Amino acid sequence: MPAITPSPSSSNDAGKPLTRRSSWAEAAAVADATKPSRAPSPAPVAPAESAPAQSTPAQPDRAPAPDSAPEPIASVPAATARSARGAVAPEAAAPASDAPAETPAFRRSRPTVADAIAESPMPDFISSPGLFVKEQKPRPVGGFRGALYNLTGGAWNLGPGPKQRQEDELGRRISRQLQGSYNTAILSLKGGIGKTSTTVGVGLTLAEYRGDAPCAIDANPDSGDLVERALGEGIYQQASPRTITDLLENIESINSLTALARYMHHAGRLHLIAGEQDPEVSDSLTAEEYLRIRKLISSYYSVALTDCGTGVTHNAMSGILQSADNLVIAAGYAVSGAKRARSTLHWLASHGYEDLARNAIVVITDKDEVSSRVDKDAIEEHLSGICRELIAVPHDRGVADGDLVTLDVLKPETRRAYKEIAAAIVDGYR
């Protein structure tokens, strides 16, 4: 259909183009061509000079643009409207002015769901797992709570009682992850008051709760029996008779845990180095030799216990105290045992080991089941003020007989005392 063009002589219609909108594309093209710019219009230039040459094929039904400013387009032929989808009119292809771009009228002012998700904070699945999973109560063990849990098949879970919560807390303290290797020396000034049994009981407890196996070293110069108390006399006699002396003779060739295991004994997950049974040889262990062993052990074990024997003046003692991170002082409820424990702490404080004395753990073992004439409370009060912690081990035949020490045959009170000692030892590793 022919286009309707405005009459040149009509001044009223000069600025109002007449259009025939044959389609949405035509109307959009006309609106874009006739919309005034917000910025001052530049001087009209020829289309060839204002924009790069377009590769649009020539349109036979369109007249070429004049050199002067183009008049408003009255109508757009259908062919031009169809070609507008693939080509841009010269006026539209001109470079944009410095005016800001127009915001499309169809854009939503309200944020979409995608915007809300993108702007919302991402939950931390590692530090806040409870956001998605309900915390499960620990299973009660023993007592009325445990019986009710078992009877209802877990439907009624009242959680652990106060006693079980205390036991769980001790386990968490014992199993605390450590950075480095630490050594605890167990010593006393009097024999037969539970020093070696404490070393074995605490070592087995550490092995039960810790993820890494502990190591116990028999540095007793008086024919120590640490391995016999941990394995039993019969099993130890059948085992390889490797001792701390054999380890020292071949220490230069040991460069792996596998090679070190040839000189060790194993009571479950507790690894032990046997002491020398010949008193003349065992007493010859020097401080330098012990430090060499301690350096080797520190490469493979994070916790080491050293059974020092009686006294604090034998040859290896200076090396043991030099490398110790904390001490366990063994004592008994007899008056002489309590006095010797106090004397040990005083000796340490006066010979340059004040920190070890101040942070020492005093363990009083009721090994001989003293009579009622002994005031146990007075002895505990006498020792508690000069150490970091005092722990009492009750009388137990599994300890007093001087034979094999196993956790399975000990009283619950004895096992708990060993757990308290183990937890106090690990607490001292800072």
Side-chain angles (χ1 to χ4, degrees):
M1 297 178 75
I4 301 175
T5 58
S7 175
S9 61
S10 178
S11 58
N12 295 333
D13 297 335
K16 299 179 181 179
L18 298 178
T19 62
R20 184 177 63 84
R21 298 177 177 84
S22 60
S23 67
W24 179 87
E26 296 175 10
V30 173
D32 292 339
T34 60
K35 182 167 57 177
S37 176
R38 294 184 179 181
S41 301
V45 295
E49 298 176 357
S50 62
Q54 302 290 331
S55 62
T56 308
Q59 300 293 335
D61 54 350
R62 290 188 60 182
D67 295 337
S68 60
E71 295 182 358
I73 300 174
S75 63
V76 180
T80 305
R82 287 191 300 270
S83 65
R85 302 175 186 176
V88 183
E91 293 83 358
S97 62
D98 296 337
E102 289 286 336
T103 303
F106 56 87
R107 184 173 182 179
R108 298 183 181 181
S109 59
R110 186 173 57 184
T112 63
V113 176
D115 295 335
I117 295 176
E119 296 176 359
S120 62
M122 180 66 67
D124 191 348
F125 296 94
I126 298 177
S127 62
S128 304
L131 294 175
F132 305 96
V133 181
K134 292 183 178 180
E135 184 178 359
Q136 186 177 6
K137 291 182 180 179
R139 177 180 177 180
V141 179
F144 171 76
R145 295 169 182 255
L148 181 63
Y149 181 91
N150 295 331
L151 186 63
T152 60
W156 287 8
N157 185 359
L158 301 180
K163 184 177 180 180
Q164 184 179 343
R165 289 196 297 269
Q166 293 175 2
E167 295 287 331
D168 294 341
E169 177 61 23
L170 286 175
R172 282 189 290 269
R173 290 167 58 192
I174 297 171
S175 61
R176 178 172 65 90
Q177 185 176 4
L178 299 174
Q179 302 296 330
S181 179
Y182 299 88
N183 179 34
T184 297
I186 297 93
L187 56 92
S188 68
L189 291 182
K190 182 179 184 299
I193 56 177
K195 174 185 54 60
T196 301
S197 60
T198 298
T199 304
V200 176
V202 173
L204 293 174
T205 303
L206 289 168
E208 180 181 5
Y209 285 93
R210 292 195 57 80
D212 48 352
C215 175
I217 306 171
D218 190 349
N220 192 337
D222 300 322
S223 301
D225 59 347
L226 176 67
V227 177
E228 291 94 319
R229 300 295 301 275
L231 299 179
E233 186 71 27
I235 297 179
Y236 175 69
Q237 294 297 333
Q238 299 174 4
S240 172
R242 299 288 180 93
T243 65
I244 194 171
T245 304
D246 300 317
L247 176 61
L248 279 171
E249 291 176 354
N250 301 276
I251 196 170
E252 296 297 337
S253 62
I254 299 174
N255 54 10
S256 67
L257 184 60
T258 303
L260 178 60
R262 301 171 185 170
Y263 302 91
M264 306 191 76
H265 304 268
H266 301 82
R269 297 182 65 249
L270 174 62
H271 300 178
L272 305 108
I273 298 178
E276 184 59 56
Q277 298 302 304
D278 187 350
E280 294 183 1
V281 178
S282 63
D283 192 46
S284 64
L285 181 67
T286 64
E288 291 76 16
E289 290 173 336
Y290 174 83
L291 289 175
R292 292 177 64 192
I293 294 175
R294 175 71 191 104
K295 182 179 179 181
L296 176 65
I297 295 300
S298 65
S299 301
Y300 305 103
Y301 296 91
S302 60
V303 178
L305 305 177
T306 301
D307 186 357
C308 302
T310 59
V312 290
T313 58
H314 59 82
N315 295 337
M317 201 63 206
S318 61
I320 294 173
L321 294 177
Q322 178 182 340
S323 63
D325 296 283
N326 53 21
L327 300 178
V328 172
I329 308 297
Y333 277 114
V335 176
S336 58
K339 287 183 177 181
R340 285 187 173 91
R342 189 179 183 91
S343 300
T344 303
L345 293 173
H346 279 300
W347 185 92
L348 293 170
S350 60
H351 285 77
Y353 303 104
E354 295 182 6
D355 290 339
L356 289 177
R358 186 185 309 110
N359 296 313
I361 305 165
V362 175
V363 176
I364 303 180
T365 302
D366 191 4
K367 186 175 180 180
D368 298 325
E369 198 171 14
V370 295
S371 66
S372 58
R373 294 179 57 249
V374 177
D375 190 347
K376 296 181 179 180
D377 295 335
I379 293 177
E380 293 177 3
E381 184 179 358
H382 178 73
L383 296 174
S384 60
I386 57 175
C387 60
R388 174 167 63 91
E389 193 165 350
L390 186 142
I391 300 172
V393 179
H395 178 75
D396 196 321
R397 290 293 300 273
V399 175
D401 288 344
D403 193 11
L404 175 66
V405 176
T406 58
L407 299 180
D408 295 337
V409 301
L410 298 179
K411 296 179 180 179
E413 295 81 4
T414 307
R415 295 194 61 175
R416 179 180 175 81
Y418 287 150
K419 289 176 65 175
E420 292 177 352
I421 299 169
I425 287 175
V426 178
D427 289 344
Y429 296 153
R430 299 298 181 187

